[in-house]
Amino acid sequence: MDVTMPREKDMLRNIHTFVRGVDRDNHKLTIEEHARCSLELLQTVPAARPASLEYLCHVFDEGVNTYLYEMEGKGNTGNKIDEVITETHQILKKFIDRNPKGWAPIISTWSIELLGRISSNYSNRRGVPHSSSLNEHLQLWMSCKGMRTLMELSSQCISVMIDTCPDTCVNAIIDTSVKHSPHFDWVVAHIGSCFPTTIVNRVLSLGLKDFCSSQSGDHLGPTDVKVPKMVSVVSILGHLAAQHSADIRDALLQLFRDSIGGLSEQELYTVPFLLQLSTMSPVLLKAVTDDFIFALTPEVLGQLAEQFQKSVILQRDKDTLLMLVIHLVSKSGKGAYRLIKFMLHIGGDGHVQAEVQYACSLILDLLILELQRCIYSRAGSLVNKGSGSTSEVPLLLELQSHTSSLCDDFLQTTGKRVNWLQRFLGMLAVHCGEESASDILSYMLVNITTNDKVSALISLQAEMEVAFPQVMNQAVQKTCSRFTSSSTEQTLQILKNMYTVVHWEVNQPGRQRARVKLGSCLADHLPILSSQLYHSELPIAVRCITLMNLVKLKESLDLTMLHSLAQSVVDFVFILFGCQDFSLKSTTMVDCREYLQKLSNRPTIKFVILRSLLENALKKSNLKFFHKWNKLDTVDSSMTASGPKVSLLLENQKKGVSVPKGGLSVFHAGIIGSGPRQERDNKDDRTGCQVLLNCQLFTQLIRSCSSSKAVPSPQGPRIHLDQPSCDTETGNFLADLLVELVCPDVTYTSVLWPEEELTRLTIERDLHIQMMLDHHPFLWDVLNIIAQTRSATHRCSVILYGTMATLLAFWDSGRSNVPEERANALNATGKLLNILSCAGLLPTPLTYSALLIPELAVSDIHLLLAVIWNFMKENPPRTDEFQMVDGTLKKSFLPESTNRSSNILHGLLQKNIAKLGYLYPKIYQVEGTSS
C-alpha cells in the first residue's frame, strides 16, 4: 500500500502538470519539460497515449520549425528539442521491440500521418524545394533530426509488420498520400525503395479492393472522382517505377493472371482496374503495353472471352471498357508498334475464337476513327504543326520510328490487314508531317513488287493529299535520288513500279483519285530518268525509255533540257542497235521513235535530233550495225597482214578503168601505200537479217522525226506503215546535212549536173559517196524521204550525180566477173533511178527506167544511164521549175530532150521486147500507142 500510493500520486501529478503546462511552482513548462512529461505519461498511463502522441506531434513540428529557422540563417533558438526527439525515438523503439504486434500499427500510423502533415505544412517555406524534386526533398528532410526519426520509426514498424499485417501501414500510406500529395511523395519513394515488393503488391491489392467497393451498381465510372485513393495508388506506383519497374510489372502481370477465369467480384474487376491504372499513369501504361502482349496468348484470350460472356457486370459495361481500351491504345508510346502488330494479327487471322477476332477487329476500326478525330480536329485544322504537345498522338509518334516496318507489313500482307495498315500509314503521314508522308510514298514506290498494291498506293496518296497536296512531288524526288545508290534489281523494280502507276494513270483517267499524277511529277525529273538510259544493264535502260514515253513533256522545257533529252535517247538508240534480241529491239525502238517524235514536234529541236541521228549512224564505230561485211570490203591499214607483192596499177587496169594523173586513190585493188585489199575475217560478219532490221528501224526513226505531223500509236502490235512525208524545210535540212556528211570533198558540189568528162576529176569524191551508200544502206531511204518533197532534191544533187558517175564507170567496163559486185551495182542503179523518178526529175517514160534495169545487158544499162545523165544536164533540178498540179509538185521539161530520151528508151524496150514486153503498155499508156 505504501508503494502504490506514491506511484499513483506521481501519475496524477504528471497528468496535472501535462494538462496545465506548469510545474509545482506554477512556472510554465518549457517545451522540453512538457515533452518529457508526455513521454512519462505515454509509458505509465495507457489512457493518456493519444494525448501524449498528439503533443509529441507538436514537439516534432517544433523541431522541424527550429531546423528550418536555423537553416534560413535567422539565428539560433537555443532550445534542446533534438535531445527530446532522441529520447522519444528510444522510448518508442523500445515499445516496438517489446510488443511489435501491439505498438507497430499505432506508431506506424502516427508517424506516417505526422510525416505527411509536417511535409505539407512546411512546403511553402523558403528553404523547402518544389515537390517535384524528390531527391532534393529527401535530402532536406533526412538531414532534419525530427523527420529522420519519424522515417526510421515508420520503417521499423513496417519491417516488423511485413509478414503479419502489412495492410495497416500501406493503408496509412495511401490515406496520407490522398491528403498530403504531392508533398508526401518523398516519403512514399523512400519507404517504397526499402520494401518495394511488399509495398507494390499491397498497394495494388488495396487499390483493387477500393476500386471494387467504389463502383456503383449501375456502371463503371471515372475512378479519379469516385476513388480518391486511386490517385494515390497511381502516384505511389509511379514513384516506385523509376527504380523498381520490374517489380511493378511482375505484380501487375501476376494480378492479371490470377484473375483469368475467375468469377469473383475482385477477379471480374481486375481487368477494368488495370485499364484504369494505365489510363491514369503513362508509366503503368508502358508496363502494361510491353509485357501484357506476351501474356495474351490465344488460350488466355479465349479464357478472357469466356469470362466476359459469363459476367453480367462486364457485359453491362462493355461499351465503357471498349472506349477505355481504345483510349489507352491511342495513348501508348513505346511498344505501340508491337501492340498494333499484335492486334492486326489477331484481328486479321490469328487462329483465335471468332468472338476474340471480332472484338479485335472492332477495336481496330474504332481506334482508326478515334485517331482520325484526333488528327483532323487539332486546333480546328487538318494539320497544325504549331500546336502544342497536347495535340500530339503518342501512338502515331511512336509508330513514326517504325514507318519502314509498317510499310513492309503493308506490302507483304493480304486480306483485311491491308486496309487497316493503309489507314494507319495515311494517318501517320498526316500527323507527322509532309516529310514523313513523302518518305512513306517513296518507300512504296521503291519496294512494291506486285501490281495489286498499286491501287492501294494511289488510295494512300489521295488520303495524304488531303493535308499535303504536293506530297507526290517530294516522294518522286526522293525516289529518283535513289537511282545512284540502288542495286540493279532495285533500280529495275523502281522503274517497273513507276511504269505501272503511270500506265494506270494514262489508261484509267476516269478512275484517278489522287490530285497529282505520278507522270506529271516525273516530268520534272526527266534528266535523272534519262541518265538511266546509259545504264550498263540493258533491261534498266529499256524500262526507262518505256516509262519516259508515257510521261507527257512540259511546254515550259527549255532548249538545253530538250537537247539533253534528245541526245540521251539518240545515244540509247545506238546502244539498242547492238542488242541481239530482235523482239526486244523492235519493241523498244518503237518507244524511242515515239519519244523522239514528241521531241521533234518542238521546232527548235527537230533538226538537232536529225543531225545527231545521222552523225552517229555514219560513225565508223557504228558501221557494224548497218553493213554486212563481204569479201569486197577493205579493213583498216593497221589490220593488214603482209602478203605477196601486187601491182595496184595492173590490178586496176584489169578492171578497165583509166587512172587519172595525180590521183592517189583507186577503188578496186586497194589504196596506194597500204597494199592490196584485205578480206575481212568471217568471224566479224554481221548477219544479214540483223543489219536489215537495223536499217529498217533507223529509217523509221528518220521518217518519224522528219514527219510534219505526229503519228498516233496504233492499238495492238505497233506496226508503222505509210508514214507521212516531211515538209519542205525538213527536206532541205536533210539534203544539206547529207551533202555535209556524205560528200566532204568541195571540188564541185553544184546542183547542176556536170559534163560527163568532168567526172574524171572527181573520182575520189564519187567513190567515197558510193562507199558511204554501200556501207550505210539506210542513206538510200533518207534520199527517198528527201525525194518525196521534190523541191529539196536539188540540194543533194552532188550525191546523185556522184553515184551515177561511179555506176557509169562500172557499167562502161562491162567486165566484172564477181556476181556480188554486179548485184550491188544493179541494186544501186535501181535505187538511184527510183529516187530520180520519185523526186519528179524524170519525164513519164523515163520514170519507169528502174523496171528495165534487171533485164538489160551491161551495154544497154550504160546507154540508159548516159541518156538520163544528159537529160539531167539539159533539165537541171531547179526549184523554180516545179509547179503545183492536182496537189502535186511537177517539173516542166524541155520537149526536145524529153522526146530524144523517150525514143532511146523505146528502142531499148523494142530490143528486149521478149523480156520486157509486159511493161510496154504500162510505160506508154499515157501516149496510148507505141511509135
Side-chain angles (χ1 to χ4, degrees), residues 384-397:
N384 185 4
K385 299 309 291 181
S387 59
S389 59
T390 55
S391 63
E392 301 293 347
V393 182
L395 172 66
L396 296 179
L397 289 177

Side-chain angles (χ1 to χ4, degrees), residues 218-220 312-322:
D218 297 327
H219 299 283
L220 289 171
V312 177
I313 297 175
L314 296 180
Q315 286 286 350
R316 179 192 63 194
D317 299 316
K318 62 180 179 180
D319 292 337
T320 304
L321 290 173
L322 185 61

Side-chain angles (χ1 to χ4, degrees), residues 264-278:
S264 66
E265 184 181 37
Q266 285 196 16
E267 290 171 334
L268 292 177
Y269 273 119
T270 297
V271 172
F273 170 70
L274 293 176
L275 293 177
Q276 189 64 47
L277 282 179
S278 302

Side-chain angles (χ1 to χ4, degrees), residues 17 35 184 213 223 273 337 343 359 364 407 446 504 511 536 542 554 621 853 922:
T17 303
F184 184 69
S213 62
T223 312
F273 170 70
Y337 170 68
M343 295 173 65
L364 284 170
C407 291
V446 171
W504 188 89
R511 300 176 60 188
S536 58
V542 169
K554 288 189 172 182
S621 58
I853 294 299
K922 181 176 181 180

Side-chain angles (χ1 to χ4, degrees), residues 747-761:
T747 55
Y748 183 83
T749 57
S750 173
V751 298
L752 302 179
W753 287 54
E755 296 291 339
E756 189 175 350
E757 291 77 10
L758 292 179
T759 59
R760 295 178 179 272
L761 302 177

